[in-house]
Amino acid sequence: MRLLYVDDEDDIRAVVDFALEDESDIDLALASDGPQAIALNASFLPDLILLDVMMPGLDGPATLQCIREGAINAAVPIAFITAKVQREEVAHLRSLGAVDVIEKPFDPLALPQRIRELFGKKI
Amino acid sequence: MQAPQIPENEIARLQSLCALNILDTPAEPGFDRITRIAQALFNVPIALVSLVDEHRQWFKSRQGLEATETPRDVSFCGHAILQGGVFVINDAKADPRFSDNPLVTGPPFVRFYAGAPLVLADSSRIGTLCIIDHEARELSAAHRELLIELAFVVSEEMDRRTQSDILELYRAEQQRLQAVLDTVVDGIIAIDGKGSILLANPATARLFGFTLDEMLGHNVKMLMPQPFEREHDQYLRNFHATRKPKIIGSGREVTGQRKDGSTFPMYLAVSEMIRGDDSHFVGVVRDISEHKRMERMKNEFISTVSHELRTPLTSIRGALALVLKKSGHLLPDKSLQMLETANRNSERLTLLVNDILDLEKIEGGQLEFEFSSVDLTKLLAQAVTANEAYAQRLHVTFHTVLDGAPVLAWIDEPRIFQVMANLLSNAAKFSPPGGRVEISLAFPDAGFVRVQVRDHGRGIPEGFRSNIFGRFNQADASDSRQRGGAGLGLSITKAIVEHHGGHIGFDSVMGQGSTFYFDVPLAPAKPEENRALTSHSVLICEDNADVAEILRVLLEQEGIGSDIAASAQQARDRLAGKHYELMLLDLTLPDMDGLSFLKELRADPTQNGLRFIVISGRAMEGKKNWRGDALAVMDWIQKPFDEARLTQAVSNALRSGRRAHILHIEDDADLLLVSRGVLEEACDYDSASTAQDAMVKLGLRTYDLVLLDLGLPDSSGADLLSAIPPQTQVVIFSGSEPAQHIKERIAATLSKSSTSNDNLLNTIKHVLRKKARPIQE
């Protein structure tokens, strides 16, 4: 399965990369901003996108909207990754059509399992 | 000798005399001139202005006499003030009333006495103008008239002084009050029963940008924005009709409008001022814009900090966990240990960041809860598993004592999980190495389940017990380093449990350990499959026919009947024809803005018991802008809605039902005022200050709960118990303990000396909740 992870924080991308490097069933691509994510969605054709919410320029929700309005892989399941953990913030993110909202800081050891569950549920 | 009688109006007379403030003052030329004239005119050695107070006569002016006063019982003047005209004794030696009087037998050797009473404007006779001779003589009718005329001059002078004194005092008082009104920082404004402004101070004018002239005589609505302005008339009418206050008697945050139309948040406290038959209202107004701004900044700051901390934490925690997992085995022991320490502390930091955010929300009253039916045993097992690793590190073991049967509780699952985790980690933290922590369930009260966590630690020191649920509290400062945690956990835990209507507490024995427990409500029994519709108690106010129908069917599946109104007008018609408990309200209605409609219904006294759930695409926006009372709206649900969330909210709202009616029987007016303030938000509060008053009130309606003082002026409160119907709960709120034989009838006992406002409110809620949900066997 193909996973696209989008986050403007280099350190967190590195952590995710490290966390998933041994997972042979997960094919990972990384993007550091919204435009790159939109481009990779069309070329890499991920089965799932994990999308950071707070990013400079095009933020997570705006990126999601662009992908939904695009012509290629527009219906890809997207889960938000966010440090905004208050209930109404999480509820708002869900209402935008995210399949899941993963709160930061997340447990990197539990991440592969969580990703597989999302695949299993939606694909 | 005969002592003078006491006049009938003695008390009033003495009051008038005192009010003159003339007793024991120095001589004054005006009065002395008159006594000199009298001395010469009547050709007597002695002339006096004598004032008769309680025990003596005192001379304001005297000619021919050294003494300044004599006892009242030997005085001639004491007799003279008993009658209207001149009191004359031609020869005291020949008069049996005076012949042995010491003033006759000794100095000043009175033989002749004539005294004309001094009569004040209020007709009290405070003393005399009198003349005395050492020889017996008579007083001609013309001289009597003259003496009365002179006495009149003295009285008039005294009256004049009183009036100018009073005026002076009044003016000084007036100036003092005015100075207070003029300089006080808060706005003070008085209105009559119709809302016309009678008085306003300069601060009010400044606050609202009007001049005083522009405000006086105008309706106070000029200071309120729509729709409060519209509500206000209705409100005053309601208050006059029902005496049910909304703001009156307490204070709250409202919105004010300045002359230029701009609005600002203000704190308004209103009291009723009854003058004769009219009731007026006095409001104290404070601009809280700055306060609000600070509060907002603080919230934003905390939210930002919490967010900003999370990002680096994600990297740190992630990096540490991964290194430990993937390369831990390659590291020297010492390095591994250091990395584990770092990892553990990054986890702690994460918890702390969560705690700070939670605490902030709890304090702001913004913590939101989503209740559902949850198997507590399962949740408890999860909490134990989640904390086991931590306990193992401390060499502590968890032992769960459960019989395996599910126990359904009505809780917010993640929050109660948080509570359990907090108690479990605390128990582990304060256990000795090798210690054992026992977890069990109990059912202490009908409708509630208790979770108990018992440790065998050193116990809680006596001095620390009272504030264990406070913030940043650990038994001693060194604990926070040794044992971890900032001491926020228990205060959050307590707030969460109390939000469930539950109670948290502990028992502790020094050296033996502590048991912490909390009670949460059991879930209501499931409705039966083919149950008939309970009643048509829900009104769906929604203009989209499809959505309305979906809602109706959803409710029907839950056994709840409902009607549909497609506009505000249709809803009004429906409400006029039938009683509804709950309205599901869309904010976009064809004929009216939903929030305005909500406000209109809230102001309608006939719809007092109606509750609301707002279901709208604009629910979150509406919630932000809703300035009405928070309790009116049970829930705000954003469209598109989650079906489970909706049905849960509806059954929640229906279950909590109407507002409970409480009668508080208590003779202390101050305490009643406080209780009203505390309880009014949660229930319809009524009070009685005597047993008799209470009997009348109990006869007029059925109360859900009676809050009873045992020491009433006209009866012992315990005697009232027989007048309270059996379905009504009784809570004793008194200075004395209830007698053993009445304890059975009592749901709870509170002691006046040790009950905080929160405590009172929680106990009442607790008792009412127990009643609302009897256990179904």
Side-chain angles (χ1 to χ4, degrees):
Chain A
M1 54 188 131
R2 293 160 170 272
L3 172 73
L4 173 60
Y5 185 88
V6 190
D7 200 318
D8 63 313
E9 283 277 332
D10 298 346
D11 291 344
I12 298 180
R13 283 201 312 279
V15 164
V16 170
D17 193 17
F18 191 29
L20 299 178
E21 69 175 7
D22 299 338
E23 311 299 325
S24 56
D25 56 335
I26 299 175
D27 191 1
L28 176 69
L30 296 166
S32 60
D33 58 30
Q36 209 184 348
I38 294 163
L40 275 170
N41 179 52
S43 57
F44 178 65
L45 298 175
D47 302 306
L48 174 70
I49 300 179
L50 299 188
L51 182 56
D52 185 30
V53 172
M54 298 267 283
M55 292 187 293
L58 213 55
D59 68 2
T63 304
L64 177 138
Q65 201 183 344
C66 286
I67 289 173
R68 293 284 181 253
E69 284 167 3
I72 304 170
N73 204 21
V76 57
I78 296 176
F80 280 118
I81 307 266
T82 181
K84 293 190 158 191
V85 298
Q86 303 197 40
R87 275 194 190 188
E88 63 274 15
E89 293 168 340
V90 171
H92 171 70
L93 291 174
R94 278 187 189 276
S95 75
L96 297 176
V99 291
D100 199 1
V101 177
I102 297 172
E103 295 175 9
K104 282 182 182 174
F106 52 82
D107 179 0
L109 303 179
L111 196 61
Q113 187 52 34
R114 185 116 183 220
I115 290 167
R116 281 187 200 101
E117 277 169 20
L118 283 174
F119 273 115
K121 195 151 79 183
K122 289 291 159 188
I123 300 163
Chain B
M1 191 196 78
Q2 185 186 332
Q5 290 172 358
I6 300 299
E8 272 176 23
N9 65 340
E10 177 70 1
I11 291 175
R13 195 188 71 82
L14 287 173
Q15 277 170 352
S16 299
L17 175 58
C18 276
L20 287 175
N21 285 319
I22 196 172
L23 290 170
D24 303 303
T25 55
E28 288 172 49
F31 295 117
D32 288 348
R33 196 171 297 131
I34 294 170
T35 46
R36 270 200 307 277
I37 291 172
Q39 194 183 22
L41 189 63
F42 300 108
N43 189 26
V44 288
I46 299 171
L48 306 166
V49 168
S50 163
L51 300 172
V52 181
D53 78 3
E54 201 179 349
H55 300 297
R56 59 174 182 159
Q57 60 174 341
W58 175 82
F59 309 126
K60 174 64 188 172
S61 174
R62 56 200 156 88
Q63 306 297 338
L65 189 68
E66 278 305 304
T68 57
E69 61 180 56
T70 72
R72 181 174 180 175
D73 49 8
V74 300
S75 73
F76 285 66
C77 295
H79 293 271
I81 62 166
L82 298 174
Q83 57 184 49
V86 182
F87 179 69
V88 184
I89 303 297
N90 291 334
D91 184 355
K93 277 200 167 158
D95 191 316
R97 288 175 295 175
F98 297 102
S99 55
D100 58 348
N101 186 305
L103 300 179
V104 175
T105 56
F109 300 106
V110 177
R111 286 293 291 274
F112 165 81
Y113 171 94
L118 302 174
V119 187
L120 294 186
D122 65 2
S123 60
S124 49
R125 294 192 281 263
I126 56 164
T128 66
L129 172 68
C130 66
I131 49 176
I132 291 167
D133 203 341
H134 307 305
E135 308 296 331
R137 59 188 278 183
E138 289 184 357
L139 194 67
S140 69
H143 275 176
R144 284 181 187 238
E145 284 303 314
L146 261 178
L147 191 62
I148 286 177
E149 288 290 324
L150 274 180
F152 186 70
V153 174
V154 175
S155 315
E156 236 178 10
E157 170 62 16
M158 289 184 172
D159 271 332
R160 206 183 50 71
R161 292 165 45 116
T162 330
Q163 274 158 14
S164 70
D165 271 8
I166 290 177
L167 221 59
E168 189 57 34
L169 270 174
Y170 175 75
R171 230 178 263 132
E173 187 68 14
Q174 182 87 348
Q175 276 169 0
R176 237 192 332 266
L177 284 176
Q178 194 62 45
V180 171
L181 274 181
D182 287 351
T183 51
V184 69
V185 181
D186 292 343
I188 295 177
I189 185 165
I191 62 169
D192 66 14
K194 292 199 181 79
S196 290
I197 298 174
L198 303 172
L199 174 152
N201 67 339
T204 311
R206 263 199 312 279
L207 215 53
F208 290 95
F210 287 100
T211 66
L212 286 176
D213 284 343
E214 285 170 326
M215 295 165 65
L216 294 178
H218 290 88
N219 196 291
V220 69
K221 286 187 291 189
M222 73 194 289
L223 308 178
M224 306 168 186
Q226 293 274 7
F228 299 104
E229 187 192 311
R230 253 202 323 260
E231 263 182 20
H232 191 255
D233 275 342
Q234 174 76 30
Y235 175 53
L236 277 182
R237 269 200 301 278
N238 278 353
F239 180 74
H240 287 310
T242 62
R243 311 300 299 171
K244 257 198 203 142
K246 192 161 82 181
I247 296 182
I248 291 163
S250 62
R252 69 171 57 200
E253 287 178 23
V254 295
T255 304
Q257 178 169 281
R258 299 190 190 91
K259 186 181 180 183
D260 63 9
S262 60
T263 58
F264 63 100
M266 62 184 201
Y267 185 81
L268 172 65
V270 181
S271 45
E272 191 186 10
M273 173 172 79
I274 296 183
R275 307 185 61 179
D277 289 341
D278 291 339
S279 59
H280 295 170
F281 302 92
V282 181
V284 177
V285 183
R286 172 174 296 176
D287 185 343
I288 51 171
S289 314
E290 185 59 14
H291 174 79
K292 284 273 170 200
R293 202 178 63 84
M294 299 294 289
E295 202 171 43
R296 226 174 12 250
M297 276 176 59
K298 192 183 82 175
N299 285 345
E300 277 166 17
F301 174 75
I302 287 179
S303 162
T304 307
V305 164
S306 135
H307 169 252
E308 291 300 326
L309 287 174
R310 271 170 214 283
T311 304
L313 260 177
T314 308
S315 305
I316 296 170
R317 191 184 157 189
L320 287 169
L322 288 168
V323 169
L324 280 170
K325 164 102 184 296
K326 297 194 179 191
S327 347
H329 59 282
L330 302 175
L331 295 169
D333 275 358
K334 195 80 184 170
S335 305
L336 183 65
Q337 205 185 340
M338 286 297 117
L339 273 184
E340 274 169 350
T341 306
N343 186 43
R344 204 162 52 241
N345 281 282
S346 76
E347 274 165 27
R348 251 179 72 193
L349 205 50
T350 306
L351 292 176
L352 204 55
V353 168
N354 290 338
D355 276 0
I356 289 171
L357 205 59
D358 276 354
L359 197 71
E360 176 57 24
K361 299 204 102 188
I362 285 170
E363 294 209 329
Q366 302 159 323
L367 205 58
E368 285 162 32
F369 285 78
E370 286 178 21
F371 293 95
S372 60
S373 184
V374 177
D375 180 1
L376 210 58
T377 60
K378 233 185 192 162
L379 191 64
L380 203 47
Q382 285 168 18
V384 167
T385 309
N387 286 276
E388 224 145 32
Y390 176 69
Q392 272 166 17
R393 278 208 297 273
L394 298 168
H395 308 287
V396 173
T397 49
F398 289 136
H399 294 267
T400 316
V401 192
L402 295 172
D403 63 6
V407 175
L408 292 179
W410 188 252
I411 55 174
D412 181 313
E413 185 168 353
R415 297 223 191 276
I416 290 297
F417 183 83
Q418 194 180 346
V419 169
M420 291 172 171
N422 183 263
L423 294 189
L424 291 172
S425 62
N426 274 350
K429 190 160 44 175
F430 292 103
S431 286
R436 183 184 157 93
V437 171
E438 288 133 27
I439 300 119
S440 59
L441 293 182
F443 300 87
D445 279 324
F448 281 79
V449 53
R450 171 169 294 183
V451 178
Q452 306 174 127
V453 178
R454 177 164 184 219
D455 68 53
H456 298 275
R458 64 184 183 197
I460 299 156
E462 194 71 51
F464 184 63
R465 292 185 187 182
S466 60
N467 60 355
I468 194 159
F469 293 109
R471 297 170 55 177
F472 300 108
N473 277 322
Q474 294 207 339
D476 73 66
S478 61
D479 270 359
S480 58
R481 279 186 300 278
Q482 276 179 18
R483 316 226 174 225
L488 292 175
L490 277 179
S491 67
I492 293 170
T493 294
K494 177 166 188 270
I496 292 173
V497 170
E498 286 177 355
H499 254 284
H500 284 76
H503 170 70
I504 186 162
F506 63 92
D507 300 310
S508 183
V509 180
M510 282 308 282
Q512 291 183 28
S514 312
T515 302
F516 277 82
Y517 59 85
F518 65 92
D519 299 345
V520 287
L522 288 164
K526 274 257 168 203
E528 289 161 37
E529 277 304 314
N530 293 322
R531 189 174 56 142
L533 299 187
T534 46
S535 61
H536 292 267
S537 55
V538 177
L539 182 58
I540 299 166
C541 190
E542 163 68 67
D543 63 325
N544 182 324
D546 293 338
V547 175
E549 184 55 19
I550 290 172
L551 287 170
R552 196 192 62 73
V553 171
L554 266 175
L555 294 185
E556 197 175 72
Q557 285 167 357
E558 293 294 308
I560 302 162
S562 56
D563 295 322
I564 294 170
S567 66
Q569 191 46 50
Q570 270 191 28
R572 281 191 205 103
D573 294 345
R574 291 255 184 212
L575 287 166
K578 199 157 96 179
H579 171 77
Y580 290 95
E581 287 173 57
L582 178 68
M583 179 185 275
L584 305 187
L585 178 63
D586 183 15
L587 292 184
T588 358
L589 297 174
D591 53 346
M592 194 173 182
D593 168 58
L595 279 186
S596 305
F597 187 42
L598 183 53
K599 281 189 182 121
E600 173 192 313
L601 292 172
R602 287 297 296 160
D604 181 352
T606 64
Q607 299 299 339
N608 227 344
L610 184 61
R611 298 171 155 236
F612 301 86
I613 292 177
V614 170
I615 303 177
S616 170
R618 297 196 295 121
M620 288 307 138
E621 184 192 333
K623 183 177 182 180
K624 263 191 214 134
N625 296 331
W626 172 244
R627 298 220 182 74
D629 55 321
L631 292 169
V633 181
M634 302 295 295
D635 219 331
W636 302 80
I637 296 177
Q638 182 76 22
K639 274 185 198 166
F641 53 82
D642 178 66
E643 294 181 3
R645 162 109 169 74
L646 174 85
T647 49
Q648 199 173 87
V650 169
S651 55
N652 225 356
L654 288 176
R655 200 168 44 87
S656 57
R658 66 181 171 79
R659 279 163 75 81
H661 299 294
I662 288 193
L663 177 63
H664 189 179
I665 308 173
E666 166 65 58
D667 62 322
D668 181 339
D670 290 340
L671 183 58
L672 284 180
L673 213 61
V674 173
S675 308
R676 175 181 289 278
V678 173
L679 298 174
E680 208 159 49
E681 287 282 290
C683 57
D684 284 341
Y685 180 91
D686 214 346
S687 63
S689 53
T690 62
Q692 202 173 13
D693 188 13
M695 295 291 250
V696 173
K697 293 224 156 102
L698 285 165
L700 290 177
R701 70 173 309 161
T702 310
Y703 290 91
D704 298 290
L705 186 147
V706 169
L707 194 57
L708 180 62
D709 180 17
L710 291 176
L712 291 173
D714 53 344
S715 143
S716 100
D719 296 345
L720 271 175
L721 284 176
S722 58
I724 300 172
Q727 70 268 32
T728 300
Q729 300 282 323
V730 179
V731 173
I732 301 292
F733 189 28
S734 187
S736 50
E737 268 286 298
Q740 196 59 40
H741 70 280
I742 60 169
K743 277 196 172 154
E744 234 171 58
R745 180 65 186 89
I746 296 167
T749 301
L750 293 168
S751 158
K752 275 182 188 169
S753 55
S754 62
T755 300
S756 68
N757 291 348
D758 280 353
N759 210 326
L760 174 63
L761 182 61
N762 284 330
T763 305
I764 299 272
K765 278 186 180 166
H766 186 92
V767 169
L768 286 172
R769 198 192 268 267
K770 270 201 285 187
K771 183 194 175 186
R773 210 176 322 109
I775 272 205
Q776 312 213 343
E777 296 298 334

